[in-house]
Amino acid sequence: MIDLSVFTQLSGIDLGALADKPTTLSPGQQEGASSLWTAPDGSLDIGLWECTPGHFTADRTGAAEFCYFLQGKIIMTQLDGTSRELGPGDALMLPRGWKGTWEIVEHTRKIYVFLTDPATR
C-alpha cells in the first residue's frame, strides 16, 4: 500500500528542548530536530530542524540534503568562498560531498530530506 503521509502545521510543531550544536563555531549555539518519516531501509529521512543564531561547519560527505526554509535568515558559504543568503520560502539542494559553513543570522527552521546510500550505513 502507498503511504500518503501528510505533514501539516510544520512551523508550529514543538521540537522540544534545544541542545548544543556539535559543529558550532559560536559557543552557545543550539539546535533541535525531529524526524517525521524514515524509509524502512533508512535511506531517506524527512524531518524538521531548527537552530539559534551562530556559525557552524557542515559536511555532507555521507548524504545529500534537500532543505526548505520555513523561517529565519541563513548565509551558506561553500569551501570556495561562494555565499548565498536564504530565508523563508527558499529551497536548497546540497549534493553528497558538499562541505562549507552555515551562518544562522536569525533563528531558523527548515524541512530537511536526507538521502543516504543504505549500503554505506
Side-chain angles (χ1 to χ4, degrees):
M1 174 176 218
I2 296 174
D3 180 356
L4 298 176
S5 296
V6 175
F7 310 114
T8 60
Q9 304 299 317
L10 295 173
S11 60
I13 292 175
D14 182 10
L15 299 181
L18 301 181
D20 291 339
K21 174 95 181 108
T23 61
T24 191
L25 301 171
S26 305
Q29 187 176 32
Q30 295 194 311
E31 69 177 349
S34 180
S35 182
L36 301 172
W37 184 85
T38 303
D41 68 357
S43 64
L44 187 67
D45 179 33
I46 301 169
L48 287 173
W49 174 88
E50 69 179 62
C51 191
T52 61
H55 198 213
F56 64 89
T57 61
D59 181 344
R60 297 296 175 264
T61 299
E65 181 185 12
F66 171 80
C67 306
Y68 179 80
F69 297 98
L70 299 170
Q71 71 182 59
K73 181 177 175 183
I74 309 95
I75 299 172
M76 306 280 300
T77 304
Q78 299 186 120
L79 288 180
D80 69 3
T82 304
S83 291
R84 188 77 182 246
E85 185 176 304
L86 301 159
D90 290 335
L92 169 72
M93 183 65 207
L94 300 173
R96 185 173 292 146
W98 186 89
K99 293 181 184 180
T101 61
W102 293 49
E103 180 184 354
I104 305 297
V105 179
E106 298 172 0
H107 192 109
T108 295
R109 181 176 276 223
K110 72 175 180 180
I111 300 167
Y112 67 81
V113 179
F114 277 108
L115 177 63
T116 59
D117 179 354
T120 62
R121 296 185 93 231

